[in-house]
Amino acid sequence: MTGKDKTVLDYNVYAEYVFDNIKNEKHIDDIDFGSYNVFHMAMKKNDLYIVSDDEIEEGFFKNILDNSFDEIFVADGEGIAIYCNEIFEKNYGVKREDLIGKHVNYVLENGYVDVLLFDKVLEEKRTITYKQKTRTGRVILNTSSPVVDDEGNVLFVVENCKDITENEILYNTLNYTKSQLEKEKNVNLRSDGLKNNFRNFQSKGITEIISKINRFVDKDVNILITGASGTGKTSLAKYIHNISNRSSKPFVNINCTTIPENLMESELFGYKKGAFTGALNSGKKGLVEQAEGGTLFLDEIGEIPLNLQSKLLELVQEKQYMPIGSTSKKIADIRIIVATNKNLSELVERGQFREDLYYRLNVVQLEMPKLVNRKEDIPKLVYHFIDYFNKKYDSKVNMGANLMEYFENYSWPGNIRELEHLIEYLVINSHDETIRIDDLPQNIITSHDSYNDSGEIVLNISENDNLDLKGILDLAEKNIVREYYKKHNSSYKLAEVLNISQSTANRLINKHCKSNR
């Protein structure tokens, strides 16, 4: 390309390949074109010179096309193949000598490709892009473009074919992952639907809790939920949030045992830019700020470090907090719900939990009952989890006969969490889509067999057991202690009902109730 004064402005690699001294020439007239064909095109601001040579042109451009990463294929207006490059041969699995001179339909008729839109390109005289799958297993994005003359006749069809196999695999993988995540989300929402809707349960302990919740649900009082692990404290917190006037705002859940002590403050209250080494340049919103307008749920509150409790007290009492590195306090419009499986009053006595924080949190206390004390709710939970895991694992497992009484007679030391994991195990390991008694863990079968239908304690001893009197008495003691401990689950209560000392009750509990858990 030259200016109007014929000063050389630019040239391509072809010119550099042909003319060794072109870099040193400043004027077009100084270039010796020799026997090369030169086509001069005058434009508005610049002039274009196109140089060609019949002898070197074919080899030069063939070299370029054969080293192209994309497949190139050319057919004439009649559909006869006249050129394909090496990568085309590789990805379509067809040899050049087998294809050149034949009609393009050869690749379709011989199974080299699953679809061919060559005829449509000829008919509509426009560029068409579509996907092909080749015999070699590659996925090709084929862009077929017609080359037409001044009268609109198709002279050639040029196919530029791009191998998109890896992209297609990634796309399909992402789509599958997305669909699985969406499915999992829907299944989890259905699961939460029952676990977080306590109106579905009928046990006395839960109905009393619901009655109490209804009296304060829209009042911004702090709530302390207590109860053993696995009883559903998180689900109860979500239920309170969902029926409150804050339900349209975030529910932010933090388990205090999962965050390292040195990160707890920054996770809760956030930090400003440059607050400490390694801090994000943008700063970070804490969980308190993320819960703005909604509910902040602190699970396992008894694990909060003592040195952080004073800052948490200010949040609970004044609804104010200060992000790390900030010089001003922020106001928090949140409801605070906390939960623990520990006895906070005992932690207060031992100096491990601030007394003022304990009383600020304990405005309303809700104690979640153990599953063994919610037998009326067990059938609903069992059928719910079977439905949940059937959807999760695309199965159709159902309950066999007489199974429910085994669930109802078991003590469930792990509470709802244990029941949930058991049902998942039974659904996964079901052989013929029916859960039978033989599929149950031995401890549940043994627990059921220890009691008859009237609720009396039975021993189920046969002569084959070879037990002497001491062995029989030990078995009786074991069954009695286990049965009574289900209903009176502390050494003090067990000692009172069996009329024994508390130290004896504690020893029997450790011997018969805790050693096999």
Side-chain angles (χ1 to χ4, degrees):
M1 179 181 289
T2 70
K4 287 299 180 181
D5 59 356
K6 295 188 177 183
T7 301
V8 176
L9 300 176
D10 199 5
Y11 49 86
N12 63 11
V13 292
Y14 178 76
E16 191 173 349
Y17 174 79
V18 173
F19 306 109
D20 293 335
N21 64 338
I22 194 169
K23 292 181 180 179
N24 303 319
E25 303 296 347
K26 306 238 182 206
H27 200 278
I28 193 70
D29 291 339
D30 296 331
I31 299 174
D32 182 12
F33 290 109
S35 61
Y36 296 114
N37 302 317
V38 180
F39 175 74
H40 176 214
M41 182 184 296
M43 298 183 292
K44 233 177 192 183
K45 295 182 179 179
N46 302 308
D47 284 2
L48 184 66
Y49 292 83
I50 300 174
V51 181
S52 64
D53 184 279
D54 295 338
E55 292 182 4
I56 70 165
E57 198 170 49
E58 180 180 351
F60 178 77
F61 287 110
K62 182 181 183 299
N63 227 1
I64 292 175
L65 293 174
D66 278 343
N67 284 281
S68 169
F69 185 75
D70 292 345
E71 301 92 332
I72 306 294
F73 173 81
V74 183
D76 64 19
E78 301 299 322
I80 304 301
I82 59 176
Y83 174 78
C84 70
N85 64 356
E86 290 178 4
I87 195 70
F88 183 95
E89 292 181 89
K90 178 182 175 181
N91 285 342
Y92 282 83
V94 60
K95 292 182 179 179
R96 193 180 316 196
E97 55 266 28
D98 293 338
L99 178 60
I100 301 303
K102 293 185 175 69
H103 195 276
V104 292
N105 284 337
Y106 174 84
V107 294
L108 184 63
E109 293 166 355
N110 288 274
Y112 290 104
V113 72
D114 66 334
V115 63
L116 190 66
L117 299 183
F118 184 87
D119 291 339
K120 189 173 183 180
V121 175
L122 286 180
E123 180 184 344
E124 299 183 7
K125 298 180 181 178
R126 66 179 180 87
T127 298
I128 296 176
T129 299
Y130 61 101
K131 286 182 187 178
Q132 295 175 307
K133 290 183 181 178
T134 72
R135 176 185 285 183
T136 61
R138 311 307 292 175
V139 179
I140 304 297
L141 187 66
N142 185 321
T143 299
S144 298
S145 303
V147 178
V148 298
D149 60 18
D150 294 339
E151 297 177 0
N153 300 311
V154 177
L155 301 176
F156 306 101
V157 173
V158 179
E159 294 184 0
N160 184 286
C161 308
K162 189 175 187 66
D163 186 352
I164 59 168
T165 307
E166 282 70 28
N167 291 355
E168 192 75 2
I169 292 171
L170 180 60
Y171 176 79
N172 290 336
T173 302
L174 289 173
N175 264 0
Y176 174 77
T177 303
K178 182 180 178 182
S179 67
Q180 289 299 107
L181 289 173
E182 193 64 30
K183 177 182 175 183
E184 183 74 15
K185 177 182 176 182
N186 292 334
V187 170
N188 286 334
L189 285 174
R190 285 193 292 270
S191 176
D192 285 347
L194 178 73
K195 288 199 293 184
N196 299 339
N197 185 358
F198 283 76
R199 292 191 181 98
N200 288 322
F201 299 125
Q202 304 298 322
S203 61
K204 181 181 178 182
I206 295 298
T207 53
E208 287 178 352
I209 287 175
I210 297 307
S211 176
K212 191 173 183 179
I213 288 172
N214 289 337
R215 295 197 294 271
F216 64 76
V217 66
D218 285 328
K219 299 178 177 67
D220 278 332
V221 293
N222 301 320
I223 302 168
L224 170 63
I225 303 175
T226 60
S229 293
T231 51
K233 298 186 290 294
T234 300
S235 295
L236 183 62
K238 287 181 181 178
Y239 172 76
I240 295 170
H241 171 79
N242 290 340
I243 65 170
S244 74
N245 53 15
R246 293 180 177 271
S247 59
S248 62
K249 299 296 182 179
F251 176 87
V252 176
N253 177 5
I254 174 174
N255 188 314
C256 299
T257 63
T258 62
I259 300 176
E261 183 176 336
N262 61 331
L263 296 179
M264 184 79 72
E265 183 178 356
S266 63
E267 288 297 312
L268 270 177
F269 303 123
Y271 56 80
K272 293 295 184 181
K273 174 182 176 181
F276 51 86
T277 303
L280 295 174
N281 289 332
S282 58
K284 181 182 177 181
K285 284 185 178 180
L287 294 169
V288 174
E289 188 172 353
Q290 291 176 35
E292 182 65 18
T295 300
L296 177 68
F297 175 56
L298 301 174
D299 197 8
E300 305 297 352
I301 187 67
E303 304 298 330
I304 287 279
L306 199 58
N307 61 350
L308 188 58
Q309 289 179 20
S310 58
K311 296 184 179 181
L312 184 59
L313 175 64
E314 183 178 17
L315 175 68
V316 172
Q317 182 171 298
E318 307 294 341
K319 293 292 170 49
Q320 292 182 352
Y321 67 99
M322 185 179 292
I324 297 176
S326 177
T327 56
S328 59
K329 294 181 179 180
K330 286 190 171 185
I331 304 297
D333 176 21
I334 56 173
R335 158 175 259 163
I336 297 174
I337 303 177
V338 300
T340 183
N341 60 4
K342 293 186 174 182
N343 188 326
L344 290 186
S345 60
E346 288 185 1
L347 294 182
V348 169
E349 289 178 6
R350 296 201 295 263
Q352 296 174 353
F353 200 86
R354 289 182 62 119
E355 184 176 22
D356 47 4
L357 177 59
Y358 169 64
Y359 287 117
R360 285 292 180 182
L361 292 172
N362 194 19
V363 177
V364 174
Q365 184 177 133
L366 303 172
E367 183 175 3
M368 284 296 291
K370 293 183 176 182
L371 186 56
V372 70
N373 299 322
R374 296 176 53 187
K375 291 192 175 182
E376 303 92 330
D377 298 331
I378 288 177
K380 280 185 179 295
L381 287 165
V382 168
Y383 285 116
H384 163 70
F385 287 128
I386 288 176
D387 179 62
Y388 170 74
F389 289 115
N390 273 334
K391 289 183 172 66
K392 181 175 181 178
Y393 296 114
D394 291 323
S395 55
K396 296 180 181 178
V397 175
N398 55 65
M399 287 270 289
N402 303 319
L403 264 182
M404 196 59 71
E405 64 182 71
Y406 282 79
F407 291 126
E408 291 173 344
N409 284 335
Y410 181 56
S411 59
W412 299 110
N415 296 294
I416 296 174
R417 187 179 295 121
E418 182 183 3
L419 174 62
E420 180 178 0
H421 292 167
L422 173 63
I423 297 297
E424 181 176 19
Y425 165 80
L426 293 172
V427 169
I428 292 173
N429 288 277
S430 173
H431 299 297
D432 56 0
E433 298 189 341
T434 300
I435 301 172
R436 294 184 170 82
I437 293 171
D438 291 344
D439 298 322
L440 296 176
Q442 190 57 45
N443 61 326
I444 294 182
I445 295 174
T446 302
S447 176
H448 174 271
D449 290 345
S450 297
Y451 311 103
N452 63 19
D453 293 336
S454 66
E456 298 173 345
I457 301 173
V458 295
L459 299 182
N460 289 330
I461 300 173
S462 70
E463 292 183 5
N464 294 328
D465 291 331
N466 295 320
L467 291 175
D468 57 14
L469 179 60
K470 183 178 183 305
I472 294 171
L473 292 175
D474 282 344
L475 181 61
E477 179 185 84
K478 173 182 176 180
N479 289 344
I480 290 169
V481 172
R482 284 189 169 186
E483 172 65 5
Y484 276 85
Y485 187 63
K486 285 182 184 179
K487 299 175 182 177
H488 312 283
N489 54 2
S490 74
S491 59
Y492 172 79
K493 293 177 182 177
L494 187 66
E496 187 177 36
V497 73
L498 293 180
N499 195 25
I500 56 178
S501 69
Q502 188 173 357
S503 61
T504 300
N506 194 54
R507 178 180 59 81
L508 292 174
I509 291 168
N510 288 328
K511 178 181 178 182
H512 298 303
C513 302
K514 294 184 176 180
S515 59
N516 295 323
R517 289 189 181 183

